[in-house]
Amino acid sequence: MKKYIMTMDEGTTSTRTILVDHDGQIVAQYNKEFEQIFPQPGWVEHNAKEIWEAQKETIKEVLKEAGASFDDIETIGITNQRETTVVWDKETGEPIYNAIVWQCRRTSDMVDELVAKLDGEGKSDLIPSKTGLKPDAYFSATKINWILDHVKGARERAKNGELLFGTIDTWIIWNLTGGKVHATDYTNASRTLLFNIHTLDWDEELLELFDIPSCMLPEVKKSSDDFGMSTYGIPITGVAGDQQSSLFGQCCFDKGDVKNTYGTGGFLMMNTGSEPIKSKSGLLTTMAAFTDEPEYALEGSVFVSGSAIQWLRDELKIIDSAPESEEAALSVEDSGGVYVVPAFTGLGAPHWNQDARGMILGITRGTSRNHIIRATLESLAYQTNDVLGAMKEDLGESVDDINVDGGASQNNYLVQFQSDISGIEVVRPKLTETTGIGAAYLAGLYSGFWKSKEELKSHMEIDKEFTPSMSDDEVKDLISGWNKAVKCVEEFAK
Ligand code: ADP
């Protein structure tokens, strides 16, 4: 058996390669940022070739850092920013347009038109019932369509089988295998609006609706599977979208297990086992990464989480670094009745209000910098609590404990406050690079590097556990204040 699993982690702003050893420890990692292209307000693109070049560089550098060679690598795992769309020429491997990034809103009108049409035909539930998603520009389908509409001759070429579509995982697999394998995994496929999460196949009716030829689509495999041999002579055996990979990396293998990531945005995800639970309260139903039988997840995304702390640092300039927010928050007894609702780009789950914008409420003459910092940190927890509330509604039972990761999970004040207002146990593992670890686990389980999920669980070391310590009355008061603040934001957006 070889020494390491190599994970390629394709993020939104950077690409990273990490080496993971038998004990599930990261022995080396290397990161390279790539360009964010903003051709118009609200539009976001990446150069897919630049991502591949950055990927190759990080592979070289990480091996150098570890003093390792390809001979030491057992297998490759891939995790990626989801939904981002690449279309390329099957013969030359050249993308015909930049990658359209998940954040890009250019196809919002297209989606609005489609929704109006479906509503008119009494088919409002067609897309949610098949895909588990809401029709939104966020997902891949309308992005593919935009490329086919705007690159000359593309639609014809696509119909003739000359063009291929892929999310970033598929693009990396294609390049890693020298153009031999065109494949994705269930978790990534389930974010396209084209994949039926019940039949586990591309859906003919949706392909027709979005006018996308099926010959463009990749083969869909389990997240732990044979994705072909890379030109480095190392097989690729694990692939999952970033949030699903982090759920797996947190060892949330069982039905009811929940993780929350406090990164730039916030992502709460629950493993719902073999059952796809249809949300009545604004959450998405999606595929979880699985090794045997299909597993599903419920997901709620918060648009602004850790980035609210960046805002305190970069725009308000009232802190010099994100970690400093903890000390500032603890320097006051409470938030002094201040609420910050960081709806900078609208409100995500469960409110879904595109027009909402941020507000600071409850300011008095005595309000200080520290109150605003504390209220901003608390807003990350309130937003997560709202998503937990939606999960409770969908499941008919409450969530008792969650695992956390992401940059802001290092903030003890924030995590304790989460535990307090949500009345839940919160576990923070020592290793919070769970996205990269998840893909390594998926790859290593397939190749036999690790024998079982139980073995993976034995790697899990807890850094800190947080238990609720606030009185019920106080929790009730605080949440009632937050609810009023969100109402104000929604009112202002009308
Ligand atoms: P991403 O993977 O989305 O780029 P990360 O998981 O690296 O994000 O988290 C980065 C975010 O976490 C930043 O927005 C930063 O402001 C926030 N952050 C990092 N450390 C802290 C901290 N100690 N307290 C609060 N926020 C933090």
Side-chain angles (χ1 to χ4, degrees):
M1 196 179 292
K2 311 257 169 116
K3 280 193 198 157
Y4 307 122
I5 305 283
M6 177 180 272
T7 295
M8 303 181 183
D9 181 352
E10 315 295 332
T12 304
T13 55
S14 70
T15 177
R16 180 180 312 180
T17 300
I18 65 179
L19 295 185
V20 182
D21 69 10
H22 275 278
D23 298 327
Q25 299 299 313
I26 294 177
V27 292
Q29 59 178 313
Y30 195 87
N31 206 55
K32 185 163 168 63
E33 290 198 3
F34 48 81
E35 193 189 357
Q36 304 293 309
I37 304 164
F38 305 109
Q40 289 187 25
W43 291 30
V44 192
E45 296 177 359
H46 293 154
N47 177 339
K49 290 203 86 158
E50 188 189 347
I51 294 181
W52 170 236
E53 291 305 320
Q55 182 59 69
K56 283 190 288 187
E57 188 181 329
T58 64
I59 293 170
K60 229 189 323 173
E61 292 297 330
V62 88
L63 289 174
K64 215 193 284 170
E65 190 184 315
S69 74
F70 285 120
D71 285 343
D72 297 318
I73 311 299
E74 163 121 344
T75 178
I76 294 172
I78 298 173
T79 180
N80 57 295
Q81 49 161 322
R82 303 173 300 175
E83 297 104 11
T84 298
T85 297
V86 193
V87 176
W88 67 94
D89 184 302
K90 197 175 177 174
E91 287 304 318
T92 65
E94 287 292 317
I96 63 163
Y97 192 80
N98 275 339
I100 301 187
V101 180
W102 58 273
Q103 296 152 318
C104 188
R105 304 301 305 168
R106 80 183 64 191
T107 54
S108 305
D109 289 349
M110 220 190 253
V111 173
D112 289 346
E113 272 169 39
L114 184 72
V115 168
K117 177 174 162 257
L118 290 172
D119 287 351
E121 294 168 2
K123 291 185 180 164
S124 311
D125 200 38
L126 179 77
I127 292 176
S129 65
K130 286 176 183 256
T131 65
L133 309 174
K134 289 161 43 67
D136 195 283
Y138 184 64
F139 307 108
S140 315
T142 55
K143 299 181 196 291
I144 305 175
N145 236 312
W146 192 95
I147 295 176
L148 296 186
D149 281 344
H150 290 80
V151 177
K152 204 161 163 245
R155 198 166 287 281
E156 265 322 291
R157 291 173 63 201
K159 283 200 179 110
N160 293 339
E162 295 168 32
L163 300 180
L164 299 178
F165 152 74
T167 38
I168 296 293
D169 55 313
T170 306
W171 169 244
I172 294 294
I173 295 167
W174 170 267
N175 281 288
L176 276 172
T177 58
K180 288 209 170 65
V181 178
H182 183 224
T184 189
D185 84 305
Y186 287 119
T187 66
N188 277 293
S190 72
R191 314 297 296 186
T192 57
L193 283 185
L194 302 172
F195 190 76
N196 188 317
I197 61 169
H198 308 287
T199 62
L200 298 181
D201 210 346
W202 301 113
D203 190 278
E204 287 300 331
E205 193 178 358
L206 295 176
L207 289 176
E208 210 166 292
L209 183 73
F210 287 101
D211 196 15
I212 291 170
S214 60
C215 55
M216 294 183 76
L217 303 174
E219 181 187 353
V220 190
K221 291 171 167 264
K222 286 198 282 201
S223 297
S224 196
D225 209 330
D226 179 3
F227 288 85
M229 182 62 81
S230 69
T231 52
Y232 300 121
I234 306 164
I236 308 163
T237 57
V239 176
D242 51 11
Q243 298 312 319
Q244 283 93 339
S245 187
S246 122
L247 188 71
F248 204 83
Q250 285 273 19
C251 297
C252 291
F253 302 139
D254 298 322
K255 185 175 169 176
D257 288 351
V258 180
K259 71 93 193 177
N260 188 50
T261 301
Y262 303 91
T264 308
F267 294 92
L268 192 80
M269 195 175 248
M270 173 187 273
N271 181 332
T272 62
S274 57
E275 197 188 347
I277 294 179
K278 193 167 178 210
S279 178
K280 301 178 289 291
S281 34
L283 305 182
L284 303 175
T285 312
T286 198
M287 302 298 302
F290 58 90
T291 51
D292 306 312
E293 293 303 311
E295 288 175 34
Y296 295 86
L298 259 185
E299 172 177 334
S301 345
V302 168
F303 298 147
V304 173
S305 181
S307 58
I309 310 303
Q310 282 172 337
W311 167 74
L312 295 177
R313 187 192 63 193
D314 300 340
E315 265 66 42
L316 296 194
K317 301 192 195 307
I318 55 176
I319 47 174
D320 290 326
S321 71
E324 200 188 306
S325 59
E326 182 170 341
E327 197 192 326
L330 289 170
S331 72
V332 281
E333 245 169 55
D334 53 36
S335 59
V338 175
Y339 287 90
V340 174
V341 184
F344 304 144
T345 55
L347 283 168
H351 310 287
W352 293 109
N353 187 328
Q354 289 208 49
D355 303 318
R357 293 296 176 263
M359 272 192 188
I360 305 178
L361 303 94
I363 304 171
T364 66
R365 177 65 184 80
T367 297
S368 72
R369 152 195 184 267
N370 296 333
H371 292 120
I372 291 177
I373 294 168
R374 184 164 168 140
T376 306
L377 275 173
E378 290 174 353
S379 75
L380 275 53
Y382 284 125
Q383 294 184 98
T384 303
N385 191 52
D386 286 346
V387 182
L388 279 168
M391 266 184 190
K392 181 176 171 188
E393 218 162 277
D394 285 340
L395 297 167
E397 57 188 276
S398 52
V399 171
D400 298 326
D401 54 276
I402 64 172
N403 287 20
V404 293
D405 53 49
S409 72
Q410 290 310 307
N411 192 303
N412 291 317
Y413 175 70
L414 163 66
V415 183
Q416 182 58 51
F417 188 75
Q418 185 74 70
S419 171
D420 287 342
I421 55 151
S422 301
I424 51 171
E425 305 280 332
V426 183
V427 176
R428 182 173 67 203
K430 270 204 178 123
L431 200 68
T432 52
E433 277 293 333
T434 51
T435 308
I437 291 287
Y441 282 177
L442 288 160
L445 279 176
Y446 187 82
S447 74
F449 190 78
W450 292 296
K451 295 284 166 275
S452 64
K453 290 179 183 169
E454 275 55 50
E455 183 184 352
L456 299 178
K457 278 188 176 171
S458 74
H459 299 158
M460 186 93 168
E461 282 183 83
I462 293 173
D463 173 38
K464 205 166 154 69
E465 282 178 285
F466 300 82
T467 24
S469 62
M470 204 180 262
S471 75
D472 289 351
D473 284 348
E474 202 178 341
V475 171
K476 230 162 106 194
D477 283 353
L478 287 171
I479 290 182
S480 135
W482 168 257
N483 289 340
K484 278 193 268 180
V486 171
K487 269 211 187 94
C488 289
V489 163
E490 289 182 320
E491 191 59 34
F492 188 68
K494 280 183 185 161

